[in-house]
Amino acid sequence: MKKRSKPEVEIRNILSEMLLRSLRGSANSDILNVISKYGGKASDRTINGIYLKDLVEKKTSFDRAEFNWKHLSKDVLLKRLFVFGTGNSIKLKSRYAKYQRFICLKTNRYLKLISRLKTRGEGIQDKLEDKVKLGVMLFNKGFFFECHEYLEEIWLKEKGREKSFLKGLIHACVAFYHFEYENIKGTVKYLKRSYTRLKEFLPSFVGIDVSRLLSEIDKTLKVLEESESKYSIDKVPAIKLIW
């Protein structure tokens, strides 16, 4: 089982919150854009940091009507990742320096997802079906931890059958997040929990093909029980929608 260092866990939490904040609409993707551009300009020899204003080019995808680079210096999440110097220069905190490539790769994946959602005119909506649809997209893109965090926010506000169903999806997210770190015991444990909850919602519920999902979970469990080495992250089943 792969061990996650404390800095890795911190980075995971910070970046996930940045994505969810953008999806909620309470903030645009300026922060993610800045981190992406920082990664393109920074190197191991970046000593004094890079000025925020130099990370905001004239020709960007930012909403120029709302954007003000000086506001970034006050962003709580950005301050958790970076050290701010004179003139609003930024540099990754020393504890995160060796994870710079990972941070930038993850950020770029987030930006692609956000761009796709904007192109489709999609985002977090009021209807549960639409909220779940966005969760499915996160899951199918391999953002298992982020999907878990997103669905848990919805789960906290729901009641009855909907709440139980969401818990089943959350268990599936947790299962495959464990698999990413080669925790097979944890994967099997949460897949079984997911199966137990979701089987009460056959054949479909809030737009999800539950029958197909349970079939895929069952196949996954059988493969893992037969031989752990035969299963890889690229075999994680996609959740199918019925509309």
Side-chain angles (χ1 to χ4, degrees), residues 152-239:
E152 193 163 72
E153 285 185 358
I154 302 171
W155 172 79
L156 288 171
K157 299 176 182 178
E158 290 295 330
K159 298 178 181 179
R161 282 174 58 77
E162 288 78 9
K163 193 176 188 76
S164 182
F165 178 76
L166 288 169
K167 178 59 74 173
L169 291 182
I170 290 170
H171 285 329
C173 294
V174 174
F176 290 114
Y177 180 68
H178 277 307
F179 186 78
E180 286 184 299
Y181 288 88
E182 300 176 358
N183 180 0
I184 305 303
K185 184 177 180 180
T187 302
V188 170
K189 173 183 176 180
Y190 279 96
L191 280 179
K192 288 182 177 179
R193 287 186 178 183
S194 178
Y195 190 98
T196 298
R197 280 192 177 268
L198 294 179
K199 69 180 182 180
E200 299 178 10
F201 299 90
L202 290 166
S204 63
F205 194 74
V206 292
I208 288 184
D209 187 338
V210 179
S211 296
R212 182 186 178 96
L213 178 55
L214 289 182
S215 176
E216 293 296 333
I217 289 176
D218 186 54
K219 290 178 184 177
T220 299
L221 286 170
K222 288 178 179 178
V223 172
L224 289 174
E225 289 171 357
E226 178 185 335
S227 174
E228 297 175 5
S229 63
K230 289 184 179 181
Y231 197 78
S232 58
I233 198 67
D234 62 319
K235 293 182 180 179
V236 173
I239 297 177

Side-chain angles (χ1 to χ4, degrees), residues 105-121:
L105 287 174
K106 176 74 82 169
T107 301
N108 288 332
R109 289 184 65 202
Y110 284 172
L111 287 170
K112 287 182 180 179
L113 175 67
I114 292 172
S115 176
R116 181 180 179 186
L117 290 172
K118 286 184 177 179
T119 300
R120 294 182 173 187

Side-chain angles (χ1 to χ4, degrees), residues 23 26 43 55 61-62 69 86-87 94 97-98 110 123 140 152 154 166 184 192 220 233 235:
L23 293 177
S26 57
S43 68
L55 296 175
S61 60
F62 295 176
W69 67 266
T86 57
S94 57
K98 71 177 183 179
Y110 284 172
N140 289 346
E152 193 163 72
I154 302 171
L166 288 169
I184 305 303
K192 288 182 177 179
T220 299
I233 198 67
K235 293 182 180 179

Side-chain angles (χ1 to χ4, degrees), residues 62-91:
F62 295 176
D63 185 342
R64 304 304 300 182
E66 299 180 3
F67 182 76
N68 184 332
W69 67 266
K70 291 182 179 180
H71 292 171
L72 295 178
S73 64
K74 300 178 182 179
D75 189 87
V76 175
L77 291 176
L78 198 62
K79 284 185 174 181
R80 286 170 61 187
L81 273 182
F82 291 90
V83 173
F84 280 72
T86 57
N88 280 325
S89 64
I90 62 172
K91 182 181 179 182

